[in-house]
Every structure is written in C-alpha cells, then in structure tokens.
Amino acid sequence: MSHPIPSEFDIVFAGGGTTACVVAGRLAAYDPSLRILILEAGQHTLNKPIHVQPSQYPFNQLPPSTTVTFNIGNPSPRLNGRVPIVPCGRCVGGGSCVNFMVYTRPPASDYDDWGVNGWESESLIPLMKKLETYEVQPDLPTHGYNGPIKVSSGGHKLGISDEFIQVGTTYHKRQYADDTNDLETCNTYGNCLSHGGSEYIDGTTGRRSDAAHHYIYNQAHNSNLQVWDGKRVKRIIFEDKRAVGVEFTSDPVSCPDADRPSSIVKASKLIVVSAGAFGSPTILERSGIGGEAILKRCGIEQLVNLPGVGENYQDHNLVIVPYLAADDAVTMDALWRGEKSLAQWNSSGKSLIAQNGLDSKIKWRPDDEELKAMNPAFQPRWKEFFQDRPDKVVAIFTAFSGPLSSILPPRNYMSAGYYTLYPVSIGSVHVKVTEDGKEGMDFTTGFLDDPSDIVPLDFGYKKTREIFRRMASYRGEVAAGHPDFPEGSAAACREASGPVDLNAPDIVYTAEDDEAISQFHRDIVQTSWHSLGTCAMKLEADQGVVDARLNVYGLSNLKVADMSIVPLNVGANTYSTALLIGERAAMIIAEDLGINCI
C-alpha cells in the first residue's frame, strides 16, 4: 500500500532509531493529537524473531544482514593498514533492536562533566528511573520500577558467568557487588551470583526490551503517530533559516526494486534529525549545514557554517578472544548453530533463547600493582583523567558464553571480552563524493591513534587470560583467535585438560610476546557499536552543533536528538544514554510546544 505523500505533519523525525522512538512515543502519549511522522531507512521490527528473541542478536551484526549499516572507515596505519568496519542499527528502533542488550550505566559524573545546563545528573536521574522497570532487585534508590524498558536477568542462568566472578573475586582480588549500575560503583564484579545478570530483557516474556516495541508499536491505536519504513532522508528543506520539510527517497537496501524519485513531507512545528552518529551529521551536511571546505568539496551550497558537524567521533575499543570450554558447560553455541527449541521460550519466556550469553562483568580500574605492570605510555592519561576520579572505569572485562564466531568447528566455547571506555583518540564522519560521482562517506575512526589507548587493551588480554585459565570450564585457547606468539614462547596457546590452580603463577611475557599482543590488537580491535559525538552539544565556538535545548545553531525548528549530541564519552554501553537522551528531548520539545509532560 503506498503512503499518502506529499503530506504535512506537526513533527517529522529524520531517522527512526532508539532515541527517535523514545521522543516520538512520549510526545504521542503526552498529546495524541500531535501529527508525528518517523522516516526510517530500515525495515519494521514488529514481532520479528531476529529482533525480539534475545539470543538472535549476533545475526544482526553479520553480513549479509540488512538490519544494520556497515560503515566502512578509512584505512589506518595504527590498525596495520586495516579498514575498520563499524555497524549501526538500520531498522525501526535502531540499535535497541540489534544490540547485545547489556545493561550498564555510566557514572553520574559523566553527565556532570558535559557542563550543559539541564543535563546535570541531578536533573537526569529522575528520567533514568522513569524509563526502566528494574526487575533484578527491588527498592534501589537509583533504579526505576514502573518504566517501559524492562531490565532482568534473562531467561537462563549461565555457569560460566559464575566462574568468571568466582575467579575474579579470589584470584583478581576484587569485591563483589549486587549492583554495579548504581551510577558510582566500579572495580567490583557483578551481577551474577545472587541475582543473575542485568540485561535489557523482559523477565516475564523473555523478549528483548527495545524502544520500538515499548514506545512506538504499543501505540498502534494512535493513527496520528506514523512510521514510514524504507525511507532514506536526503536533506532538510528550509525557508530562509527555518526548517519546513524533509526530502526523502526509497532506501536502496530496504527497497531494492522500488523507483527512487524524491518526495517531500512538510513539518509545521519541528524537524528532529535522529539518524545517529553517522546519519545525523551527513543529513546536516547534505542540507548545507557544516564546515565550508567539506561542503565545497561536495558541491553543496552552505546554509550555516558549523565546522563541528561530523567532528568529535568517539567509540569504545573492543576485543573478543575465544577459549575452549568444557563439554558439559552451558554455552550459547548450540543455539547459535541453529539447534534450538522454541517451546519453553514461547510458553514461559525462559530458556537460552531469552539470554544474550553475557551476564557477568567488572568495570575495571587498575590497582597500584597493575598500573606498574602496564606500559608507561598510559601513565599521563591515568594521572590526567582517572587518578582522582574513582568512579571512572578504564575498561569493562566480561565473559561471553559462546564464541561470537560462525567459522569455528562445532563444540563449546567461551570468550573474554574487554573494551576501553574513555579512549583519547577522536575520529570524524563526513559526506564525500566518490570518483564516479556518487555520494559516499569519509569516515575516520581514530582507533588507537593516541599511544595511550592500546595499553589497557594489552593489559586486558593478559588479565582476562589469567582469569579464564582458572575457570572450571577452561579447556585451553583457540590459538587462531589469540596473538601469534614467537615459537617456544611461554605464552603459546594450546588446548588443556582443565584449568590451572587458582594460585598458579601468571604467564611471564617477554618483550617479543608484548609486541605480538600489540600487533594482535592493531589487527583485530573493533568497534563496541557505541558510536557518538558527531553533532556535539557544546558551545558553538567549541565546535558545537546543538545547544542545551538541542537546537541546531543558526537555524529554527530544527533539533538533533540521538547519540551524536553526546559531547564527551560515557563509561558504559550506550543504550542507557540513548534512552535517556530520548526522555530528556521529549521533555524539552513538550516544553517548547506548551504540552504537559507529567
């Protein structure tokens, strides 16, 4: 059925990811008479198993998936000439429908560090509570218990996670905490032994808890809230400096057989650009909003000079390392190989289908002994940023109950994951015109550009390997997924009949071994799918793009609301922040329109 276009709405969202769903859903609930349109390049996600069954998340991230966009970065000498690829959500609900569902929240101080009026943690904590129903533990002061997004321990307990925490609290000499997401606690192991992990999974239904289903699809009765999928936004239309419409076309990935003439939809009150860290800056640039040199190179007439558009790209640096697991270990392997039964999940919301394989972690800060063992290149960064901020996490270490790989022989696996949360390196995202005259993306990740960024990864490999060697399910390393150590090295990877003793000596690494670890990381470090910062909420003079009320500088009736507005990195998986931005943006827009949002 064709959509009735051209048309006019009160508010048009250019992009239908996590934050857009939150804002549009809240506004529709506050005032059902508002005519709201979401334009999304990807497809609908309503009740599709790949989105609602938690265990299916890896299949969104692998080619030939069309539920994400694979953004191809520029080759980098810091990555040994490798071309990094960074996926982002490409469906209604965006990242919330394809992510790993890991529930982590950054320290409250991260939001205070932004230094933006109205975005202080004191103002945001009520919204953090408003958006969630925390099913893991009752009566915790920083958690909410009546919100749309459910947080639970998933539908199946995993023994590998127990083992990770048991070794971490003994060998690694760290404490255990029931709640590592209270906005300040770090350097403790959680959330597994007493309550199960914390995941964005509904504990009753066993379904993923995403923004599309819990803010948009639950309002299907409201005909004034519309979502047009398969629509790629080309640019914003202006009258003088006032945003009045959005030009769009059929998306070539979602609608490969469709004709692609452009259409324009009008917006009488507001346009919200909400296409994420990649889509939002490039929509602005195609609309003439950005730095002069970039627009001129692409033959785009400049409307507003905002050189910060597309700058300040940030992410978290992730490494996943596979290990062999015991035959009797409970892992996700069989499920991911397609050996599954839906009966229990359908009837009770339980079984491994209601799991992501990730329910234990530590938000890690090095102690004095660990700092001394780390490369001195990290010391200036430690002293400048971390030393006097005890709530700032250097990296998260976690245990996956599976390999996250489709090429390994069938058996049981487990994997160590470690990712750094405040890397120094910065990248950029801009439009460009390719040699054949087509539009492309000039994307520089910046990964490992700063010499301090690789140091916690190098240490993270060594520390997580020592933890995994002591876990009961350990049966050795998958050598192909580890550094290529020199022949005869004490660090050489091999199969094992079982774990080493808890008090066994650590592996001693030579200088050549250390170099092998660094080269390994340059070869395989990847995105954490946490892209942000490219339309930063800063002062215009500081390369800002939007102000504290999310207005694009120099224009009216145009806001940006998604992870691209984040000015400084956050120390957690970013879904919690994307939801929070949506709740705050909904309040701001409701206030601007004189709508009661209580």
Side-chain angles (χ1 to χ4, degrees):
M1 186 174 69
S2 60
H3 294 300
I5 51 177
S7 187
E8 179 172 291
F9 290 80
D10 295 319
I11 303 173
V12 175
F13 288 82
T18 300
T19 303
C21 287
V22 176
V23 184
R26 284 296 192 194
L27 291 173
Y30 296 153
D31 183 355
S33 71
L34 273 178
R35 297 169 301 157
I36 298 171
L37 172 65
I38 297 173
L39 296 169
E40 166 55 38
Q43 294 290 302
H44 274 292
T45 53
L46 179 63
N47 293 330
K48 292 181 178 178
I50 195 170
H51 298 299
V52 301
Q53 291 179 8
S55 64
Q56 290 217 39
Y57 72 92
F59 304 113
N60 289 290
Q61 310 283 349
L62 300 171
S65 170
T66 59
T67 61
V68 300
T69 298
F70 296 97
N71 299 288
I72 300 173
N74 299 321
S76 167
R78 306 294 184 200
L79 305 179
N80 291 337
R82 183 163 54 95
V83 172
I85 298 175
V86 180
C88 65
R90 184 194 187 90
C91 54
V92 177
S96 76
C97 290
V98 300
N99 65 20
F100 285 36
M101 295 158 286
V102 176
Y103 179 78
T104 60
R105 302 195 297 180
S109 64
D110 277 0
Y111 299 111
D112 298 325
D113 291 346
W114 294 0
V116 180
N117 185 41
W119 293 82
E120 309 87 354
S121 61
E122 185 179 1
S123 303
L124 297 178
I125 288 173
L127 297 179
M128 297 180 201
K129 297 170 71 171
K130 178 181 180 180
L131 67 86
E132 73 176 15
T133 294
Y134 191 70
E135 300 175 344
V136 181
Q137 283 178 271
D139 305 323
L140 296 177
T142 65
H143 291 285
Y145 294 91
N146 197 35
I149 298 297
K150 306 297 193 297
V151 180
S152 77
S153 54
H156 199 288
K157 197 160 172 55
L158 295 167
I160 284 172
S161 295
D162 285 353
E163 296 172 21
F164 181 74
I165 290 181
Q166 287 162 359
V167 176
T169 53
T170 51
Y171 160 77
H172 196 195
K173 298 181 173 64
R174 295 299 201 273
Q175 298 296 310
Y176 173 80
D178 280 337
D179 183 16
T180 62
N181 289 300
D182 60 0
L183 310 178
E184 60 180 359
T185 295
C186 69
N187 225 10
T188 59
Y189 281 84
N191 285 338
C192 182
L193 290 174
S194 56
H195 298 283
S198 297
E199 297 149 1
Y200 285 107
I201 297 172
D202 187 318
T204 301
T205 65
R207 291 165 58 109
R208 173 192 288 274
S209 197
D210 63 87
H213 286 84
H214 295 286
Y215 286 90
I216 298 296
Y217 292 140
N218 61 340
Q219 297 192 68
H221 57 279
N222 183 352
S223 61
N224 284 328
L225 174 59
Q226 295 194 27
V227 180
W228 295 354
D229 65 330
K231 306 302 179 190
R232 179 181 181 269
V233 172
K234 295 179 68 175
R235 64 189 179 105
I236 310 302
I237 305 297
F238 294 90
E239 292 178 359
D240 296 322
K241 298 291 181 70
R242 176 185 172 89
V244 296
V246 177
E247 181 181 352
F248 65 95
T249 186
S250 294
D251 180 74
V253 175
S254 299
C255 309
D257 300 323
D259 294 331
R260 271 181 268 293
S262 289
S263 301
I264 292 175
V265 63
K266 293 293 186 70
S268 62
K269 298 182 185 295
L270 181 67
I271 294 168
V272 182
V273 178
S274 49
F278 297 98
S280 289
T282 51
I283 288 172
L284 292 182
E285 288 180 336
R286 289 195 298 269
S287 307
I289 304 160
E292 183 177 6
I294 289 161
L295 299 183
K296 189 173 183 180
R297 192 164 61 236
C298 296
I300 299 171
E301 183 179 351
Q302 188 179 55
L303 178 66
V304 174
N305 181 36
L306 283 180
V309 172
E311 296 298 310
N312 193 50
Y313 174 84
Q314 298 178 59
D315 197 345
H316 299 143
N317 300 153
L318 170 68
V319 177
I320 299 174
V321 181
Y323 291 83
L324 303 170
D327 291 341
D328 60 353
V330 177
T331 73
M332 306 292 286
D333 295 278
L335 202 58
W336 289 343
R337 288 194 299 265
E339 306 162 17
K340 62 182 180 180
S341 169
L342 290 172
Q344 187 183 7
W345 183 77
N346 284 333
S347 65
S348 66
K350 303 301 179 186
S351 87
L352 280 175
I353 290 172
Q355 251 293 352
N356 62 359
L358 273 163
D359 61 0
S360 62
K361 66 180 180 296
I362 178 174
K363 294 178 174 180
W364 170 76
R365 284 170 60 88
D367 58 25
D368 290 343
E369 183 179 337
E370 291 172 328
L371 269 176
K372 289 176 185 174
M374 295 170 71
N375 188 303
F378 184 67
Q379 294 298 326
R381 176 61 172 164
W382 171 262
K383 291 176 181 176
E384 170 260 332
F385 184 77
F386 293 102
Q387 182 172 272
D388 298 325
R389 296 181 169 101
D391 59 344
K392 302 295 189 187
V393 178
V394 174
I396 289 179
F397 300 162
T398 188
F400 291 79
S401 296
L404 291 181
S405 171
S406 58
I407 61 174
L408 294 173
R411 63 158 295 162
N412 282 346
Y413 297 91
M414 56 188 184
S415 300
Y418 44 97
Y419 49 108
T420 51
L421 299 182
Y422 302 98
V424 178
S425 304
I426 301 289
S428 61
V429 176
H430 296 291
V431 293
K432 71 174 181 180
V433 176
T434 61
E435 292 181 1
D436 58 1
K438 295 181 179 179
E439 182 195 320
M441 184 184 292
D442 182 10
F443 170 37
T444 298
T445 64
F447 292 170
L448 305 186
D449 280 358
D450 190 279
S452 70
D453 285 347
I454 198 170
V455 178
L457 296 176
D458 289 350
F459 186 83
Y461 172 80
K462 295 178 180 179
K463 184 59 69 175
T464 55
R465 185 172 175 186
E466 294 297 344
I467 293 170
F468 271 63
R469 292 172 71 223
R470 289 162 172 79
M471 289 165 52
S473 295
Y474 170 84
R475 293 297 181 268
E477 294 84 21
V478 180
H482 284 250
D484 185 13
F485 293 111
E487 188 174 350
S489 167
C493 298
R494 58 181 65 87
E495 290 194 32
S497 59
V500 302
D501 186 80
L502 202 64
N503 298 315
D506 288 358
I507 297 168
V508 176
Y509 294 88
T510 65
E512 291 79 12
D513 294 333
D514 286 344
E515 178 60 23
I517 293 171
S518 290
Q519 290 304 316
F520 167 73
H521 284 140
R522 295 191 189 282
D523 285 337
I524 74 156
V525 69
Q526 61 177 311
T527 176
S528 296
W529 303 276
H530 298 163
S531 300
L532 56 85
T534 50
C535 297
M537 183 170 56
K538 299 181 181 180
L539 295 174
E540 185 177 358
D542 190 27
Q543 288 207 313
V545 176
V546 298
D547 64 18
R549 310 264 319 160
L550 306 179
N551 301 302
V552 178
Y553 288 115
L555 300 163
S556 62
N557 280 41
L558 182 64
K559 294 182 188 284
V560 179
D562 55 35
M563 287 302 295
S564 74
I565 71 160
V566 175
L568 298 171
N569 219 327
V570 291
N573 297 56
T574 47
Y575 183 23
S576 58
T577 300
L579 291 167
L580 180 60
I581 290 170
E583 292 285 2
R584 177 70 184 131
M587 283 187 64
I588 289 171
I589 294 169
E591 290 166 0
D592 288 353
L593 299 178
I595 296 169
N596 188 338
C597 60
I598 301 301

